[in-house]
Amino acid sequence: MKIEKIQKLKNNKYKIKLDSGDIINTYDDVILNNSLLFNKEIDLELLNKINNETLYYDCYNKTLKFIDKKLRSEKEIKEYLKKYSEMGYEDKILKKLKEINMINDENYAKAYISDRIFLSTDGPNKIKQELFNYGIDEKIIEENINKIDKETIYNKCKKIIDKKVKTNKNKSVYNLKNNIKLNLINQGFNVEIIDKNINNINFDETSIYEKEYNKLYNKLS
């Protein structure tokens, strides 16, 4: 068989037409790797090689698209590649992605921590647990969590508390404090930072007492 025509398609793909009438859709890398030029003779061995390489690049490029959607940890990529386990390309793809720095759990941890600190209400403990669930090494997690500016965490905690105080004026101080503390612990903040913030807030129960008094007065009247 000989190559009769090579046509460029989208996404770095090419259509190769053989004089036998067979069509091969493959990638530019496969063409370069095998010097596939017009009129080149294609035997069965080379045809199998082209097909195998095309399957590899199919899997590789789909994995790249998976990573392009958002940064991924090595564990996430391994889980994704399980769907292609029968092809046996997982190790080769993982090695290639590490070589081009598309898999880097250190960078993943840094980016994830930055996003969660500034774009969510999560505290350090919750972020640590989430990173652990993504398969990030405990040493990497601890090193990067410890780099977070303590004042940033304190101010973030304070901002959340201030908002809760403003939106829960009908609760007693005791109930409000307990509610805030429980919520912030669940959000991943340390008890010390929570207590320090709560102790610095002046809670005014006057309006609450007045409301309860009026409610009781009206009931008894």
Side-chain angles (χ1 to χ4, degrees):
M1 296 178 288
K2 287 185 179 181
I3 294 177
E4 190 175 79
K5 184 179 180 181
I6 300 176
Q7 179 184 353
K8 186 173 183 179
L9 306 174
K10 294 179 180 180
N11 301 321
N12 297 323
K13 293 197 76 172
Y14 286 80
K15 182 167 75 172
I16 299 174
K17 184 179 180 182
L18 305 179
D19 59 5
S20 62
D22 293 322
I23 300 293
I24 303 171
N25 288 322
T26 191
Y27 296 88
D28 51 2
D29 287 315
V30 178
I31 289 176
L32 292 171
N33 292 343
N34 297 282
S35 301
L36 301 180
L37 303 173
F38 174 71
N39 232 18
K40 183 180 176 75
E41 192 75 37
I42 305 290
D43 59 19
L44 188 59
E45 182 181 352
L46 180 55
L47 182 61
N48 287 334
K49 186 173 182 288
I50 292 169
N51 288 334
N52 286 333
E53 287 187 18
T54 299
L55 284 174
Y56 163 76
Y57 281 106
D58 275 336
C59 182
Y60 176 74
N61 287 319
K62 286 175 182 176
T63 308
L64 284 180
K65 286 182 180 179
F66 175 69
I67 298 172
D68 281 343
K69 290 179 181 178
K70 66 182 285 289
L71 204 59
R72 309 283 183 177
S73 68
E74 183 172 350
K75 180 183 177 181
E76 288 180 279
I77 296 171
K78 284 180 177 178
E79 288 292 324
Y80 176 79
L81 285 171
K82 282 182 179 179
K83 65 174 74 176
Y84 305 114
S85 59
E86 292 181 0
M87 299 181 186
Y89 296 131
E90 301 103 304
D91 291 341
K92 185 178 179 181
I93 290 174
L94 286 169
K95 182 181 178 182
K96 177 66 175 176
L97 292 173
K98 286 180 180 179
E99 287 175 356
I100 62 174
N101 210 34
M102 293 296 286
I103 294 179
N104 188 318
D105 279 354
E106 178 81 32
N107 290 342
Y108 180 92
K110 289 178 181 177
Y112 190 89
I113 290 170
S114 179
D115 283 350
R116 303 313 292 172
I117 287 295
F118 295 106
L119 301 176
S120 79
T121 58
D122 295 345
N125 295 332
K126 186 175 180 181
I127 295 170
K128 284 167 65 174
Q129 184 58 49
E130 289 171 347
L131 285 171
F132 183 77
N133 293 340
Y134 282 122
I136 307 301
D137 184 83
E138 191 173 349
K139 185 179 178 181
I140 292 176
I141 296 173
E142 289 296 334
E143 285 179 354
N144 287 282
I145 285 289
N146 290 334
K147 290 178 183 177
I148 303 173
D149 181 57
K150 299 295 185 291
E151 188 176 351
T152 299
I153 299 300
Y154 178 85
N155 290 334
K156 180 177 183 178
C157 183
K158 182 179 183 302
K159 186 176 180 181
I160 295 171
I161 292 174
D162 288 343
K163 185 175 181 180
K164 288 184 179 295
V165 171
K166 288 180 181 178
T167 55
N168 291 277
K169 292 183 178 180
N170 292 333
K171 289 184 179 179
S172 69
V173 172
Y174 176 80
N175 288 334
L176 181 55
K177 283 184 176 181
N178 284 341
N179 181 262
I180 289 172
K181 190 169 184 176
L182 182 60
N183 285 339
L184 287 173
I185 289 173
N186 289 334
Q187 284 176 245
F189 289 91
N190 291 326
V191 173
E192 294 80 8
I193 290 178
I194 299 171
D195 286 341
K196 189 175 179 181
N197 267 290
I198 289 178
N199 292 336
N200 286 335
I201 295 177
N202 292 319
F203 291 90
D204 182 14
E205 285 192 298
T206 305
S207 59
I208 298 174
Y209 290 141
E210 287 178 353
K211 184 172 286 187
E212 289 298 319
Y213 171 81
N214 291 331
K215 188 190 296 183
L216 185 61
Y217 178 82
N218 291 332
K219 181 179 180 181
L220 294 176
S221 296

